Amino acid sequence: MEFEELGIREECGVFGCLAAGQWPTELDVPHVITLGLVGLQHRGQESAGIVTSDGESAHFKVHKGMGLVNHVFSEDSLKKLYVSNLGIGHTRYSTSGVSVLDNCQPFVVETLHGKIAVAHNGELTNAVRLRRKLMRHGVGLSTSSDSELITQLLAFTPPLEEDDTPDWVARIKNLMNETPTSYSLLMMHKDIIYAVRDPYGNRPLCIGRLVPVGDINGKGKNNAETEGWVVSSESCSFLSIGAEYYREVMPGEIVKISRYDVQTLDIVPRPKGDPTAFCIFEYVYFARPDSIFEGQMVYSVRRRCGQQLAIEAPVEADLVSTVPESATPAALGYAQKCGLPYIEVLCKNRYVGRTFIQPNMRLRQLGVAKKFGVLSDNFRGKRVVLIDDSIVRGNTISPIIKLLRESGAKEVHIRVASPPIKFPCYMGINIPTKEELIANRPEFKDLAGYIGADSVVYLSVEGLVSSVQESIKARQDQENNLKISKFKSGKIGHCTACLVGEYPVELEW
């Protein structure tokens, strides 16, 4: 819960759609993208944008705005995006770059071979050097966003490219050689969408297949007509638009999506045989629980984290509960492993604004009290194990513990379904400064006393990694099924830099 209260967020989400078969299509591409972005709204709430095309003319249709997706895209604004056969969209929360309309994505630029549109999720670890390099080449930059750097790098002509034949694979590989991480991106050019994931696979990206409504959920899965293709930061947005999960874009993969098929164009390997570095906090908090990463559902991983937490930190208690709602799967796993009943102790008021926007500590704490009702009959006189997904600064959980005690809880034991965050992230996550993190402060030595709990235990780093990697074979099987000899991603790993301070690549300043 404290991730939510502090505004610790992903930078953004990307979504693309391309109609299959004959064009002009009857598929409502702008509405499909809009609904896809609604499904990714948890990844960014500052701004949203969509760029569409008929795939034949040189004209791109663009609409962007500040705010939530449903506020930015009304029926009138969507009319600007017709008639369209393909398009890409973006919803943003800024970690680098100012929160202004100029930084809204997708970005559109004119190249030697026509316009391209680019949408990006992540944060470049060598952005400062890349900005200087572009400026030395006479490229002017109009925004403070990393995504504009990517767009301009894609507009560069590779040395071996012929003037009259665009080699987009070479351009994309040139970008990937310039910057190792972190990015999942979509690029639209004429009648093609290119889906690209950095070689470390730090940010997620997956592909879905649009099928007739009657064929969703596996009915006639192999023989169903393909009405179109979608690509998204998370698969959670697929069901609402009538798409079935197809597969992930693998680390380092360059995928070409056309009206005819989905094709792997190339794989860019990691230097020195490094393991992959998918952000482990996608599993802990950022992703929706119904999303699929590496062949496994996020909900299942969170439940396993709770089970592992019960092994590492059992406690004599009467019931297990959670701070609604992101830690619920972990709480259910903890209760199951301990053999204790799972009982709700808090009722969330969904119509109270997020407390991290409150201007001072007192109002933030009052905001937490306003946000929850107490189901006191469920725990009065009992020992409660309260599962949370995080304790980052320690300010948010304290008033909840106080609320439970005043309402009759005999004991309140806090169990945290993720390890303590100790280091900043430089790859697309907004994390408080190192000094703000409770794990780096003197209060951490007696955290239970500081927040008013009877005990506090975090999940270990090893426990989190084992919970995530328990079913990772599904990802390896998927690679084998692609039958591309150079596709093997090598050793599968996860980025735990914010927990242990070891970053997957050397950081540049």
Side-chain angles (χ1 to χ4, degrees), residues 181-182 200-203 275-284 294 424-427 429 461 464-465 468-469 492-505:
T181 192
S182 162
Y200 288 87
N202 187 252
R203 295 283 147 232
T276 56
F278 181 53
C279 174
I280 206 161
F281 266 87
E282 291 283 357
Y283 286 111
V284 171
E294 302 176 305
C425 174
Y426 301 102
M427 288 166 285
I429 304 301
V461 175
L464 173 59
V465 171
V468 167
Q469 295 187 351
I492 292 176
H494 293 86
C495 182
T496 57
C498 60
L499 310 177
V500 300
E502 297 176 5
Y503 297 88
V505 298

Side-chain angles (χ1 to χ4, degrees), residues 318-319 343-345 374-384 403-411:
D318 301 305
L319 63 93
I343 300 174
E344 292 183 351
V345 299
V374 182
L375 304 173
S376 54
D377 285 355
N378 289 350
F379 64 87
R380 187 177 292 112
K382 296 181 179 179
R383 299 166 295 176
V384 178
L403 206 59
L404 294 178
R405 289 194 185 281
E406 290 175 348
S407 300
K410 184 178 180 181
E411 297 176 6

Side-chain angles (χ1 to χ4, degrees), residues 117-373:
V118 176
H120 161 236
N121 170 215
E123 186 173 357
L124 304 184
T125 56
N126 59 344
V128 173
R129 179 174 63 82
L130 290 178
R131 292 183 73 87
R132 290 172 181 162
K133 180 174 181 177
L134 283 170
M135 290 177 178
R136 280 198 301 268
H137 283 81
V139 176
L141 297 172
S142 59
T143 77
S144 56
S145 168
D146 286 359
S147 306
E148 187 186 17
L149 294 178
I150 290 175
T151 307
Q152 294 291 358
L153 283 167
L154 289 170
F156 258 35
T157 301
L160 300 179
E161 181 178 287
E162 300 291 338
D163 287 344
D164 57 348
T165 307
D167 186 345
W168 289 110
V169 175
R171 289 173 180 235
I172 293 169
K173 289 178 70 174
N174 180 59
L175 162 71
M176 298 173 83
N177 290 328
E178 287 280 2
T179 182
T181 192
S182 162
Y183 49 89
S184 284
L185 63 92
L186 302 180
M187 187 189 88
M188 185 171 72
H189 176 255
K190 293 186 176 177
D191 59 347
I192 301 294
I193 292 176
Y194 297 92
V196 182
R197 200 167 167 209
D198 75 58
Y200 288 87
N202 187 252
R203 295 283 147 232
L205 197 63
C206 62
I207 301 169
R209 188 168 71 104
L210 287 166
V211 298
V213 174
D215 293 314
I216 300 173
N217 296 325
K219 297 179 181 179
K221 185 173 182 178
N222 295 325
N223 300 318
E225 175 189 359
T226 299
E227 296 184 339
W229 296 97
V230 290
V231 58
S232 176
S233 293
E234 292 184 41
S235 60
C236 60
S237 55
F238 288 168
L239 188 61
S240 64
I241 57 172
E244 62 182 23
Y245 181 85
Y246 184 64
R247 70 171 179 89
E248 281 189 309
V249 176
M250 294 301 177
E253 187 180 12
I254 303 171
V255 178
K256 174 185 175 183
I257 303 173
S258 71
R259 72 179 90 175
Y260 307 109
D261 59 13
V262 172
Q263 180 183 0
T264 298
L265 298 181
D266 209 340
I267 307 295
V268 175
R270 291 177 299 283
K272 305 174 185 176
D274 290 347
T276 56
F278 181 53
C279 174
I280 206 161
F281 266 87
E282 291 283 357
Y283 286 111
V284 171
Y285 175 74
F286 298 122
R288 245 174 58 173
D290 53 335
S291 289
I292 297 172
F293 298 141
E294 302 176 305
Q296 56 190 345
M297 188 166 283
V298 171
Y299 184 97
S300 299
V301 174
R302 291 177 182 170
R303 190 178 182 110
R304 290 201 298 269
C305 286
Q307 293 170 338
Q308 180 63 29
L309 185 59
I311 294 171
E312 294 181 6
V315 63
E316 291 290 330
D318 301 305
L319 63 93
V320 176
S321 194
T322 184
V323 181
E325 296 169 323
S326 55
T328 300
L332 289 168
Y334 189 99
Q336 179 190 38
K337 194 70 176 178
C338 287
L340 293 171
Y342 171 81
I343 300 174
E344 292 183 351
V345 299
L346 296 169
C347 179
K348 190 172 184 178
N349 181 355
R350 302 177 188 277
Y351 300 97
V352 174
R354 291 171 180 262
T355 59
F356 73 83
I357 65 173
Q358 301 292 351
N360 59 50
M361 186 63 63
R362 182 175 184 275
L363 292 178
R364 185 183 294 117
Q365 291 174 337
L366 288 173
V368 169
K370 289 186 297 182
K371 196 168 187 176
F372 296 102

